[in-house]
Amino acid sequence: ALFGPTPESLRVINPIAADLDQMRPTPVAALVAAALRNDARGYKDGALFEVGPAFSEAGQTLVAAGLRTGATPRHWRAASRPVEALDAKADLWALLAALGVPAEALSTVAEAPDYYHPGRSGVVTQGPKTVLGQFGELHPSVQAKLGLDQPAVAFELFLDRIADPKRRRRAAPELPPLQPVRRDFAFVVPRDLPAETVLRAVRGAERNLIARATLFDVYKGDNVAAGQKSLGVEVVLQPKDRTLTDAEIEAACARIVQAVAKAGGSLR
């Protein structure tokens, strides 16, 4: 019941065990139960997954779900730390990439179900309406009721909503003979404005010229106003048939700045 509706229509009349009398609303519930058994045996740090069904009155859905608990492994390159929502997001992103879903087509909104932490979770959509998955930290009240006393993050991917990849012969990659042009920008934006919104605006400013736009820095400190943050973005312009002139590069940069301004940011 902590993970979704438990209507009588999904009650099992003759269950094989007393605690298995309800069709689960999400595989995350089963993963948490397994994590609790591990925790009772002294295994607090874990990574579990399942590909299986979730049930609702609307029907059955195939879900790939994952759960991380405790802390990251100890390593000489990085100190161990508690797992966080971005770890679950990275797992979900890796799975989407493996299934051939282009990252440029994805958006994240903060509308995850109630069993996730409201400020540390998200829903991943493709286009304006198609919800592909969700991720985040489990809600503290859910963990308290279950007796799960270490950090826990999860993700869910709705496999029925992933389109089959197009079966077509791949063309040879296009390798332009001209050198790319790289430009770094620092944009000041509201702290609650997602970086992916800025990156999407940058890419849309010159779709035929911009080969890549990546975030390389986030700064919140001196010389940045309260409630604001500075995002460092590297943009790669790739000419295809001729070398760009200085005027063309400057014009492209100006269009990038204008696009980010429409999204709510400004050049630092």
Side-chain angles (χ1 to χ4, degrees), residues 50-252:
E50 180 185 350
V51 178
F55 300 91
S56 69
E57 290 190 294
Q60 178 176 322
T61 304
L62 184 61
V63 180
L67 175 76
R68 290 185 183 272
T69 58
T72 60
R74 299 171 66 185
H75 195 275
W76 63 271
R77 293 184 62 185
S80 178
R81 58 168 176 78
V83 293
E84 59 184 23
L86 292 181
D87 295 318
K89 183 179 181 182
D91 289 335
L92 177 56
W93 241 248
L95 184 53
L96 286 165
L99 293 173
V101 179
E104 295 79 10
L106 302 175
S107 301
T108 305
V109 295
E111 299 174 359
D114 292 342
Y115 51 88
Y116 286 109
H117 191 298
R120 301 173 186 173
S121 60
V123 172
V124 178
T125 64
Q126 186 175 31
K129 296 181 179 180
T130 304
V131 175
L132 296 185
Q134 51 209 22
F135 67 91
E137 295 184 16
L138 294 186
H139 198 286
S141 66
V142 172
Q143 290 195 216
K145 291 175 182 177
L146 292 170
L148 189 62
D149 59 0
Q150 70 261 19
V153 300
F155 75 86
E156 299 159 81
L157 177 61
F158 307 119
L159 294 173
D160 297 332
R161 302 175 189 175
I162 303 295
D164 290 335
K166 295 180 179 180
R167 305 297 181 182
R168 63 176 62 175
R169 181 176 298 177
R170 290 187 179 182
E174 182 181 356
L175 301 175
L178 303 171
Q179 291 186 353
V181 177
R182 291 178 169 84
R183 290 290 184 271
D184 290 347
F185 297 84
F187 296 111
V188 177
V189 302
R191 288 199 178 190
D192 59 355
L193 183 68
E196 66 180 34
T197 300
V198 176
L199 294 176
R200 194 178 303 112
V202 170
R203 297 186 188 107
E206 282 284 356
R207 293 189 181 277
N208 295 325
L209 189 57
I210 294 177
R212 186 171 67 254
T214 54
L215 179 72
F216 68 84
D217 183 59
V218 178
Y219 177 72
K220 304 170 187 177
D222 297 339
N223 302 321
V224 176
Q228 303 280 310
K229 62 185 176 183
S230 176
L231 302 180
V233 178
E234 180 191 51
V235 179
V236 178
L237 307 176
Q238 180 59 67
K240 297 179 180 178
D241 52 8
R242 60 183 178 81
T243 302
L244 298 174
T245 65
D246 290 343
E248 289 172 328
I249 295 173
E250 292 303 319

